[in-house]
């Protein structure tokens, strides 16, 4: 029984280590990798269950990949499994970040290192522009371009014009969304 | 005190950051560069550039590194905890309730309505990186690197690591 438990924790560690190391492109692109480990390789849950966990994870804020790791780790291996799965997924890359940026900072007074750090800023600018465009596209598809522009302009005015903390602005919008009347709620509850 | 500030700086962006991992980037910049001044805009850009070349979620990499930079291993642990734990705990505790609301129009509205706001924050961050670049390297270099990065990322859809390498090499050779 005890060796069985240890084996499960080891499998959790391996599964989410692989997801963390192969998951290029951020959280959402890691979901198929998580599925490959959890459903296909180890059969900890079936596809329907996996879909439910994903849907529930998406109702909450924060990175999706760590929510999946933590929840599945907990289901499979208790509290220890939860911690092991999350750490296996994120720790190697955090250590790599600290090591590489530490090295970079140490030689910052070298002129060519300073040049490198300046050269990377326009690249990040393009990445941010790409993300801005992504969010504009998604927002336009969901709300239409007029509503997206108006909401964006009002939010921009509040945040940059009146200096209101963006967390407050978004918090107010989230509360408004939760208070929104839901017409077909009764029917849905009756059927579930 | 610094630990508490670190906790807040990462807790707030992650609890309001609906709409996928990258949504928290401008919110974190707002805390780390704007509010607490732990990093310059340039350092934040470097962190983001490296973060985009490594696998695993961007939110936890940013938290782990910035936390370490500000307050060592303890800081790294706290910033990462503030990023991961709150929504994970909520998921473990309130699974049944959340399951009932997973198709709710309210829940869908939450991530849809937040998107235009995140878009504006991202646009502003794009503009501030542009201003930062022009200040330090001049507009000509920014235009050249920006155009090349646009080609690599947008047109050829290559992995960010190639664009970052290009920026590093160009900068190391011509901007040093």
């Amino acid at each position: 029984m005890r060796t069985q438990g240890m084996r499960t924790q080891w499998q959790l560690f391996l599964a989410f280590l692989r997801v963390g190391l192969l998951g290029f492109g951020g959280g959402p692109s890691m979901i198929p990798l998580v599925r490959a480990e959890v459903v296909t390789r180890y059969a900890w849950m079936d596809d329907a269950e996996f879909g439910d966990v994903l849907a529930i994870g998406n109702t909450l804020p924060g990175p999706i990949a760590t929510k999946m790791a933590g929840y599945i780790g907990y289901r499979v291996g208790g509290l220890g499994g939860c911690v092991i799965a999350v750490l296996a997924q994120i720790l190697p890359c955090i250590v790599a970040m600290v090591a590489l940026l530490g090295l970079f900072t140490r030689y910052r007074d070298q002129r060519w290192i300073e040049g490198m750090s300046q050269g990377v800023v326009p690249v990040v600018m393009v990445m941010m522009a790409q993300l801005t465009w992504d969010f504009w596209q998604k927002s336009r598809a969901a709300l239409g371009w007029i509503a997206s522009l108006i909401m964006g302009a009002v939010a921009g005015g509040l945040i940059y014009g009146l200096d209101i903390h963006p967390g407050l602005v978004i918090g107010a919008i989230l509360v408004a969304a939760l208070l929104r009347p839901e017409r077909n709620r009764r029917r849905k509850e009756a059927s579930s | 005190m610094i630990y508490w500030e670190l906790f807040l700086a990462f807790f707030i962006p992650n609890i309001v950051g609906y709409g996928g991992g990258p949504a928290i980037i401008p919110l974190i910049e707002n805390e780390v560069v704007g509010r607490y001044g732990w990093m310059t805009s340039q350092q934040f850009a470097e962190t983001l550039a490296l973060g985009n070349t490594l696998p695993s979620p961007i939110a936890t990499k940013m938290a782990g590194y910035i936390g370490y930079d500000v307050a060592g291993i303890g800081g790294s642990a706290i910033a990462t905890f503030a990023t991961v734990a709150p929504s994970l705990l909520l998921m473990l505790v309130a699974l049944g309730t959340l399951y009932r609301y997973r198709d709710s129009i309210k829940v869908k509205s939450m991530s849809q309505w937040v998107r235009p706001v995140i878009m504006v924050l991202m646009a502003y961050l794009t503009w501030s990186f542009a201003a930062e670049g022009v200040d330090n390297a001049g507009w000509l270099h920014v235009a050249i690197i920006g155009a090349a990065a646009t080609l690599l990322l947008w047109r050829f859809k290559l992995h960010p690591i190639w664009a970052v390498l290009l920026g590093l090499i160009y900068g190391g050779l011509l901007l040093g």
Side-chain angles (χ1 to χ4, degrees):
Chain A
M1 198 59 198
R2 191 175 154 75
T3 44
Q4 183 66 34
M6 288 288 278
R7 220 173 95 93
T8 308
Q9 306 288 14
W10 176 242
Q11 287 176 340
L12 274 172
F13 173 78
L14 286 180
F16 286 99
L17 182 70
R18 277 192 293 261
V19 171
L21 291 179
L22 299 174
F24 282 97
S29 68
M30 297 167 81
I31 291 164
L33 297 173
V34 178
R35 196 194 148 273
E37 298 289 338
V38 170
V39 179
T40 314
R41 192 194 288 260
Y42 293 114
W44 285 319
M45 46 179 68
D46 60 26
D47 252 328
E49 241 182 314
F50 184 80
D52 284 344
V53 174
L54 181 60
I56 293 161
N58 276 327
T59 63
L60 292 169
I64 183 73
T66 51
K67 272 180 290 187
M68 299 293 282
Y71 178 74
I72 294 166
Y74 182 80
R75 273 274 302 266
V76 175
L79 205 59
C82 174
V83 174
I84 285 175
V86 172
L87 287 183
Q89 189 187 53
I90 65 174
L91 203 56
C93 293
I94 292 178
V95 172
M97 286 279 285
V98 169
L100 287 170
L101 282 167
L103 202 67
F104 200 77
T105 312
R106 217 171 120 195
Y107 297 104
R108 188 177 285 286
D109 47 357
Q110 301 279 335
R111 286 199 47 191
W112 60 279
I113 291 277
E114 181 55 33
M116 283 172 122
S117 87
Q118 285 180 10
V120 99
V121 172
V123 176
V124 178
M125 169 193 87
V126 172
M127 287 170 175
M128 267 339 276
Q130 202 175 12
L131 282 173
T132 310
W133 181 250
D134 267 10
F135 271 71
W136 163 247
Q137 295 277 62
K138 282 188 203 149
S139 181
R140 209 186 47 175
L143 305 168
W145 65 271
I146 299 178
S148 301
L149 269 187
I150 292 175
M151 285 175 78
V154 171
L158 291 174
I159 294 167
Y160 300 113
L162 300 178
D163 223 12
I164 294 174
H165 193 281
L168 273 180
V169 175
I170 296 176
I173 290 175
L174 292 177
V175 170
L178 278 177
L179 294 176
R180 164 183 195 172
E182 191 158 5
R183 251 167 280 145
N184 52 359
R185 185 166 150 203
R186 271 232 170 104
R187 210 179 56 218
K188 216 172 250 169
E189 264 175 334
S191 69
S192 66
Chain B
M1 203 53 220
I2 187 74
Y3 288 142
W4 174 241
E5 286 180 347
L6 267 173
F7 179 82
L8 280 184
F10 287 92
F11 174 75
I12 295 170
N14 279 288
I15 215 71
V16 299
Y18 268 89
I24 56 129
I25 294 171
L27 292 162
I28 286 181
E29 196 266 355
N30 185 70
E31 305 296 314
V32 169
V33 179
R35 183 143 173 226
Y36 295 110
W38 288 323
M39 283 185 155
T40 63
S41 181
Q42 166 103 31
Q43 286 169 315
F44 188 81
E46 287 161 18
T47 311
L48 199 51
L50 183 68
N52 272 321
T53 65
L54 292 172
S56 94
I58 185 76
T60 51
K61 277 178 291 186
M62 299 294 283
Y65 174 70
I66 297 170
Y68 182 83
D69 195 45
V70 172
I73 291 178
S76 179
I78 284 178
T80 312
F81 179 84
T83 302
V84 173
S87 56
L88 179 56
L89 285 176
L90 215 60
M91 188 166 171
L92 291 175
V93 172
L95 196 80
T97 319
L98 293 169
Y99 184 77
R100 224 174 336 137
Y101 287 101
R102 74 195 187 288
D103 289 325
S104 153
I105 189 134
K106 295 184 185 201
V107 169
K108 290 214 170 72
S109 309
M110 282 168 86
S111 50
Q112 285 178 1
W113 291 4
V114 166
R115 262 190 215 123
V117 185
I118 302 285
M119 176 192 79
V120 168
L121 295 172
M122 285 175 163
Y124 185 83
L125 194 53
T126 308
W127 180 81
S128 72
F129 283 142
E132 172 89 20
V134 170
D135 265 1
N136 288 326
W139 66 268
L140 187 63
H141 288 303
V142 171
I144 294 170
I145 301 171
T150 306
L151 271 179
L152 292 178
L153 289 171
W154 227 316
R155 177 109 203 155
F156 300 123
K157 312 239 180 278
L158 289 181
H159 188 273
I161 196 165
W162 302 112
V164 170
L165 275 177
L166 171 109
L168 288 174
I169 293 169
Y170 185 98
L173 292 177
L174 296 173
L175 297 175

